[in-house]
Each structure stands twice: as C-alpha cells, then as structure tokens.
Amino acid sequence: MKKVIILAFACCLMTVGCVEKKENGAKAPTRVKTLVVSPAFVDNAQTYVGIVEENEGTAVSFTSMGVVKRMLVTEGQAVSRGQLIAEMDDTQARNLLTGAEAQMNQANDALKRYSMLHDNGSLPEVQWVEIQSKVAQAQSQLEVAKKNLADCRLTAPVNGIIGHQQVKSGETALPSQAVVTILDISSVKVKVSVPEAEVEAISATTPTTISVEAVGKQVNGGRIEKGVVADALTHTYDIRIRVPNGDRKLLPGMVASVRFIAKGSQGISEKSLPVTAVQRSADGSLFVWTIDKDNTAHRTKVTIGGTKGNHVTVTEGLDMGQRVVTEGYQKLSEGTKVVF
C-alpha cells in the first residue's frame, strides 16, 4: 500500500511539471503579410492601351527583275545609309556592259578617223553629224549599262533597323517589290484609339505619360497627332504621340499604357488599401489590423471613401507610414505577436 501511494505521488509531480513547462513555453508569432501606408496620386487622367510604331518606314527594292544572289542583313539588324543590303545575279548586266563598252570604243574610233577628214573639209557635214550622233548614242547606252550593273547592288538609303524581310536568297525579286523595310526608331510614335466622345478633350499639347512594361520604361510623351477620320466600326479616332527613343529600346509592336492628363485636373494624395484588408466588427464599424513597432497587432478603426478597382480609399484612422496587415488577419487577436 505504501509503494502505491509513493508511485501515485511521483506521477502527479511529473504531470504538474509537464503542464508548467507547456504554460511557460513562448508561443510562436503569427506570420502575416503587410504593407506600409503611402500616398497614392489620383487625377482625372484617362488611360488607354497603345501600340508602339516606328517613326518612319522605308521600303527598299530593286529597280529590275532578277534572282537575289546574296542577302547581307537580317531582321532587327541596324544598318547605316549606303550599307550593302543585297546583291542580285549580275551576269546579264555585265554582259550588256561589255557590249556597250565595245560599241563606245567603236564609235570613238570612227569619230577619231573621220575628224581628220572633217578638218580637211573633205567630209560632208551630214555624215559628220551622223558620226557624232552615233558617239552620243553609244555613250548613252554605256551609262545605262553601268546603271543596270550598279542596280544589282541594293544599298540602304537611310539609317535604321531592318524590319520585315520579304525576299530571301535564291528568290526572284520583281521591280518595285520591297525586299526589306528599314525602320527609323530614333524616335517612335505610340498609336492609341480614342472614342469619339473623348477625342475633343485631347489637343496637340495634352500631357501624357507612357509606360511600356516589356522594357520597364516610363516616359513623358511629346507632341500629339490627331487623326480626322473615324473607324467606321468602332467610332474611334487614331491618336499618335511622339516619344523619344535614343536608347532604341522601344520597338514597333510593343504594347504601351498611355495616360492622358486632362486640362485642369488636379492631383491629390490619398491613402489606399486593398479592399480585403478592411474588416467589419460586430457593431458595424470598420477596422484594420495595424502593426506596432514591437510587432504586435492592434485593431484600428478607419473611415473609408470611394473604391477604385480592388482598392479602397481610407479617409480617417490611418497615418502615412503605418503598417497594415493584408493577409493572415483571420488568425489575429488584440496584442498578437506577428512576423512579416
């Protein structure tokens, strides 16, 4: 009996020790996601989706028909004015030049021989004029043959980058058929389609901000060109905004976000939070969970204004720089320790 009592007492001591150890252990902080309240700029700007276009495109073509022997450029390659782009098979042009040179030599030889007779007065004037005409014709044919041979080499007329290449080596190029297009992107234009009800508010000097996510670039737009013919189906007008592009990062076809700032609009700073961060208590008041410097969570009553997308404007209750819980608030209570 004595042994049973001692055993029971020992078990009680072990149980109490375990409970005390559990109670004295520190509770792990709750992990949450937060954001710091910062000012958001709001104005009367209208935002549209635009497409980047080249400042100017030049179609380059051969002046005669022939088989393309070599293509010396590729799409996207930068070229300079006068740079060789492609060569056409020049066998026929060289043969024509050889024939023209032979006729020129023959005409010059005849002119030399008959000139002595003409100087002596023993050559009729009509025959002398005929010889001179043959020399002029031979000279003209020689110049044409030289031009035809030179036209077998296609050079860049302007600086730019190669856009679409329409003819490849081994294919037959036709007169005036574009072989390549050279794009001038030293500056670009951003084209936006604006509804007819809104186009009147846009002038040639309306301030714009253009963002191109593909290259992570945001710039201020320049002068605006307004189209005067509406799309028959959508009733929109094309607006083109000039944009500097000295680093050549903006390329034709890139998607841009364009903000037109209406005349007389005024920007204001406001506090904006995700809608899901604002909670409603049992008495109907609204609150958010804020984090103090010691990383503890506290309920903070707020007053909200309007909503914009999935964000809401907070008019009262928060100060700039306060940290607000945006995810994980379901596990919080007053004074909960958190990590973020």
Side-chain angles (χ1 to χ4, degrees), residues 158-177:
V158 293
N159 299 330
I161 63 169
I162 300 297
H164 185 53
Q165 179 181 333
Q166 296 172 291
V167 179
K168 298 180 180 179
S169 298
E171 295 181 345
T172 300
L174 300 176
S176 302
Q177 175 193 9

Side-chain angles (χ1 to χ4, degrees), residues 27-180:
K27 186 177 179 181
T30 302
R31 182 167 293 279
V32 295
K33 288 187 178 181
T34 66
L35 62 78
V36 176
V37 179
S38 57
F41 187 77
V42 178
D43 54 30
N44 296 331
Q46 295 288 338
T47 303
Y48 303 91
V49 175
I51 298 294
V52 177
E53 294 182 341
E54 66 276 8
N55 180 48
E56 190 174 339
T58 303
V60 185
S61 60
F62 287 104
T63 58
S64 59
M65 184 176 71
V67 177
V68 177
K69 183 170 62 176
R70 288 197 306 164
M71 284 296 304
L72 302 173
V73 295
T74 57
E75 293 184 1
Q77 178 181 337
V79 294
S80 302
R81 183 176 181 177
Q83 181 176 338
L84 184 61
I85 294 175
E87 287 183 323
M88 184 186 292
D89 186 358
D90 60 359
T91 303
Q92 184 177 0
R94 288 189 179 278
N95 290 337
L96 291 174
L97 177 61
T98 301
E101 288 175 341
Q103 289 182 359
M104 187 74 248
N105 291 335
Q106 184 179 7
N108 284 332
D109 183 64
L111 179 65
K112 183 178 179 181
R113 286 187 287 106
Y114 282 103
S115 63
M116 296 178 63
L117 296 175
H118 178 265
D119 294 342
N120 294 332
S122 57
L123 184 68
E125 190 66 27
V126 174
Q127 193 173 355
W128 175 243
V129 172
E130 183 180 352
I131 294 172
Q132 287 182 316
S133 298
K134 288 183 178 180
V135 171
Q137 290 175 359
Q139 183 66 44
S140 176
Q141 291 176 356
L142 179 61
E143 295 300 325
V144 170
K146 288 181 178 179
K147 178 68 166 55
N148 288 338
L149 180 60
D151 287 344
C152 291
R153 293 167 53 88
L154 189 64
T155 57
V158 293
N159 299 330
I161 63 169
I162 300 297
H164 185 53
Q165 179 181 333
Q166 296 172 291
V167 179
K168 298 180 180 179
S169 298
E171 295 181 345
T172 300
L174 300 176
S176 302
Q177 175 193 9
V179 176
V180 296

Side-chain angles (χ1 to χ4, degrees), residues 39-328:
F41 187 77
V42 178
D43 54 30
N44 296 331
Q46 295 288 338
T47 303
Y48 303 91
V49 175
I51 298 294
V52 177
E53 294 182 341
E54 66 276 8
N55 180 48
E56 190 174 339
T58 303
V60 185
S61 60
F62 287 104
T63 58
S64 59
M65 184 176 71
V67 177
V68 177
K69 183 170 62 176
R70 288 197 306 164
M71 284 296 304
L72 302 173
V73 295
T74 57
E75 293 184 1
Q77 178 181 337
V79 294
S80 302
R81 183 176 181 177
Q83 181 176 338
L84 184 61
I85 294 175
E87 287 183 323
M88 184 186 292
D89 186 358
D90 60 359
T91 303
Q92 184 177 0
R94 288 189 179 278
N95 290 337
L96 291 174
L97 177 61
T98 301
E101 288 175 341
Q103 289 182 359
M104 187 74 248
N105 291 335
Q106 184 179 7
N108 284 332
D109 183 64
L111 179 65
K112 183 178 179 181
R113 286 187 287 106
Y114 282 103
S115 63
M116 296 178 63
L117 296 175
H118 178 265
D119 294 342
N120 294 332
S122 57
L123 184 68
E125 190 66 27
V126 174
Q127 193 173 355
W128 175 243
V129 172
E130 183 180 352
I131 294 172
Q132 287 182 316
S133 298
K134 288 183 178 180
V135 171
Q137 290 175 359
Q139 183 66 44
S140 176
Q141 291 176 356
L142 179 61
E143 295 300 325
V144 170
K146 288 181 178 179
K147 178 68 166 55
N148 288 338
L149 180 60
D151 287 344
C152 291
R153 293 167 53 88
L154 189 64
T155 57
V158 293
N159 299 330
I161 63 169
I162 300 297
H164 185 53
Q165 179 181 333
Q166 296 172 291
V167 179
K168 298 180 180 179
S169 298
E171 295 181 345
T172 300
L174 300 176
S176 302
Q177 175 193 9
V179 176
V180 296
T181 303
I182 300 179
L183 307 178
D184 175 14
I185 59 168
S186 55
S187 64
V188 294
K189 298 177 184 178
V190 177
K191 185 182 78 170
V192 179
S193 295
V194 178
E196 60 182 11
E198 301 171 12
V199 72
E200 183 62 26
I202 299 173
S203 69
T205 57
T206 297
T208 57
T209 302
I210 299 169
S211 302
V212 182
E213 187 176 351
V215 293
K217 188 173 183 179
Q218 180 171 314
V219 296
N220 294 325
R223 191 166 184 82
I224 295 174
E225 302 171 1
K226 293 174 62 174
V228 295
V229 179
D231 184 281
L233 183 62
T234 62
H235 296 282
T236 57
Y237 288 83
D238 285 343
I239 302 290
R240 286 178 170 82
I241 309 142
R242 292 187 174 274
V243 179
N245 190 33
D247 55 8
R248 305 296 199 277
K249 287 186 177 181
L250 299 179
L251 300 176
M254 287 184 173
V255 177
S257 175
V258 182
R259 297 176 71 249
F260 290 89
I261 303 174
K263 185 178 181 180
S265 65
Q266 294 182 345
I268 59 172
S269 292
E270 63 179 25
K271 296 179 281 288
S272 178
L273 294 176
V275 174
T276 54
V278 182
Q279 308 297 309
R280 188 178 295 276
S281 60
D283 61 2
S285 60
L286 301 177
F287 69 93
V288 296
W289 288 102
T290 57
I291 307 301
D292 278 351
K293 293 181 179 179
D294 59 355
N295 290 353
T296 57
H298 301 283
R299 287 175 180 245
T300 302
K301 288 187 177 182
V302 295
T303 302
I304 65 171
T307 59
K308 187 175 183 180
N310 60 351
H311 280 67
V312 62
T313 302
V314 178
T315 58
E316 294 181 11
L318 290 179
D319 296 325
M320 295 295 181
Q322 279 190 282
R323 188 173 291 277
V324 177
V325 177
T326 57
E327 293 184 29

